[in-house]
Amino acid sequence: FSGLDGVLRPSSFDQRWIINFGGGYIPNSRWEFSAKFRLATGRPYTPFDANFNKPAELYNSQRIGVNHSLDLRVDRRWNVGKMYLITYVDIQNIYNRPFNDIPRWNSYKQELDGTSSIGILPSIGLSADFNFRPPDCIDMVRRIIYFFVLERTTGTAEQDPLDQIESRWRAV
């Protein structure tokens, strides 16, 4: 963009490249392994001068470094009737690379700090997947149709619900 002084400068969110790669491997119905790699080029920032000020003529004149990280995840499925319990272990930033960020004044250390990261972030979890297989869904739809169409409209159950709806549709 062009400021009031007419000089062209990059905007604060001018991040040229953000690239994500993700993939997984499912060896069987119980295990799933996945990974995600992220790469992002640095965005512009205004540096501090010798007096720890940010002069307007230096607005967005420098860029932070390139950031990248790798995340890994392992899922294990447990079949419990018509439901799956899924346990997982997820590790973000597996190689513990510090995240390059806009330099900020660290009042605790009394110095500029250009990284902000919590490092490796492991997490574990449990989720439930109520998996309705197609035959279950068809049976459920048949029961709903039977209840609403046959019993509510005719009060009989002589004809298959889907056949009755089809015959009504053809009559229209």
Side-chain angles (χ1 to χ4, degrees), residues 3-37:
L4 293 175
D5 57 1
V7 177
L8 288 175
R9 294 184 178 90
S11 71
S12 296
F13 300 101
D14 181 21
Q15 199 163 12
R16 302 290 166 94
W17 291 94
I18 300 173
I19 300 171
N20 294 298
F21 292 107
Y25 175 65
I26 303 173
N28 55 43
S29 63
R30 292 177 296 195
W31 291 96
E32 182 175 346
F33 303 93
S34 57
K36 178 171 63 171
F37 178 78

